[in-house]
Amino acid sequence: MASASESTEPAEFAGKAALVTGAARGVGKETVALLHARGARVVAVDVRPGLSSLADEFPGVVTMTGDVTLEGTATRAVRTAVDAFGGLDILVNNAGRTLNKPVTETTAEDWDTVMAVNARGSFFFAREAFRAMKERGGGAIVSTGSYVCTVGLPEGAVYSASKGALAQLTKVLAIEGGSLGIRANLVAAGVIETDFLDTFRPDSRAYLASFADAQPLGRVAQPREIAEVLCFLASPRSSFVTGAVVAADGGFTAA
């Protein structure tokens, strides 16, 4: 597979300004790499360490440390893009948090913590991006969702509810944005091989293996594969796609 930094990448995002949350690693970092390689000017946001290496690896990428659950972070990030690049054309709402607990053991704090990142934070960024894109005359908002927005996940009440909320937000954005040239779509991603799971599951390797065995493709996703779908939905190649929940789950929900 070609490196995202190779010059063979199409320059389909030339002149476009993009904002990516959860950008320090995994799907977020791969999305920054692809957007950058294809001509976009990118603002990368994350609360975790690792952003400084992005600026070194991808010259011209603007990095910003911030907590997506805070309303002011979204305002500041969009303003950074507008000030640096003259506007905003693409938002990739990728920051996320997961939790695996039975319903009876899920606390109010658990609910608030996951919802704050996956639903509230995504709403803040979408709202601010929507305002900037309206002034720009259009744009694309793409969110990293999950297969759990369409099927249930045992011990995933909060995570499933948060991703379901994000899917419904996406549809509203598509409806309200249609006449403004703003498209909104969500990638219902399957299980991805990334260190994201290590933070929440001590058995993450076994968890990944169990999902690999349960999918028609016989494996879980690589971060680059999900980033490619996100970039497709942000690109002119998907110009007639909006309000869609696009499955990228290796066929897991096809059964």
Side-chain angles (χ1 to χ4, degrees), residues 89-93 122-123 125-127 129-131 133-134 138-145 165-188 229-236 238-246:
D89 304 290
I90 298 164
L91 167 67
V92 179
N93 251 336
S122 295
F123 165 72
F125 272 82
R127 183 188 65 189
F130 199 96
R131 290 170 174 168
M133 290 174 184
K134 183 177 179 180
I141 298 172
V142 190
S143 298
T144 304
L166 186 54
Q168 289 303 105
L169 172 63
T170 296
K171 293 180 181 182
V172 173
L173 292 170
I175 293 169
E176 293 190 13
S179 62
L180 303 172
I182 301 171
R183 297 185 299 110
N185 293 289
L186 178 139
V187 177
V229 184
L230 291 167
C231 287
F232 167 72
L233 291 172
S235 78
S238 61
S239 58
F240 201 61
V241 181
T242 193
V245 173
V246 178

Side-chain angles (χ1 to χ4, degrees), residues 1-206:
M1 183 177 291
S3 167
S5 61
E6 291 181 9
S7 60
T8 54
E9 294 284 1
E12 63 184 350
F13 296 118
K16 300 296 184 181
L19 170 59
V20 181
T21 68
R25 60 188 183 186
V27 172
K29 182 177 180 180
E30 291 291 337
T31 302
V32 170
L34 289 172
L35 288 168
H36 178 267
R38 295 171 185 176
R41 295 166 294 175
V42 184
V43 173
V45 180
D46 208 306
V47 73
R48 302 167 298 186
L51 279 175
S52 59
S53 65
L54 279 183
D56 295 335
E57 192 171 352
F58 310 113
V61 168
V62 176
T63 60
M64 191 192 102
T65 302
D67 183 348
V68 299
T69 69
L70 302 177
E71 192 170 10
T73 302
T75 303
R76 183 162 57 97
V78 171
R79 176 50 55 190
T80 296
V82 171
D83 290 346
F85 308 137
L88 181 65
D89 304 290
I90 298 164
L91 167 67
V92 179
N93 251 336
N94 175 69
R97 187 177 180 90
T98 189
L99 180 74
N100 291 89
K101 274 190 179 182
V103 170
T104 54
E105 296 177 16
T106 301
T107 66
E109 183 180 3
D110 291 334
W111 181 273
D112 291 344
T113 298
V114 176
M115 281 289 184
V117 177
N118 297 354
R120 189 176 71 185
S122 295
F123 165 72
F124 288 153
F125 272 82
R127 183 188 65 189
E128 296 308 308
F130 199 96
R131 290 170 174 168
M133 290 174 184
K134 183 177 179 180
E135 294 181 8
R136 188 81 153 173
I141 298 172
V142 190
S143 298
T144 304
S146 170
Y147 68 97
V148 300
C149 70
T150 58
V151 299
L153 174 68
E155 300 187 352
V158 185
Y159 184 64
S160 299
S162 68
K163 292 301 187 179
L166 186 54
Q168 289 303 105
L169 172 63
T170 296
K171 293 180 181 182
V172 173
L173 292 170
I175 293 169
E176 293 190 13
S179 62
L180 303 172
I182 301 171
R183 297 185 299 110
N185 293 289
L186 178 139
V187 177
V191 177
I192 307 163
E193 188 172 358
T194 168
D195 59 4
F196 176 71
L197 278 176
D198 295 340
T199 309
F200 308 103
R201 292 193 69 106
D203 63 339
S204 60
R205 297 303 100 185

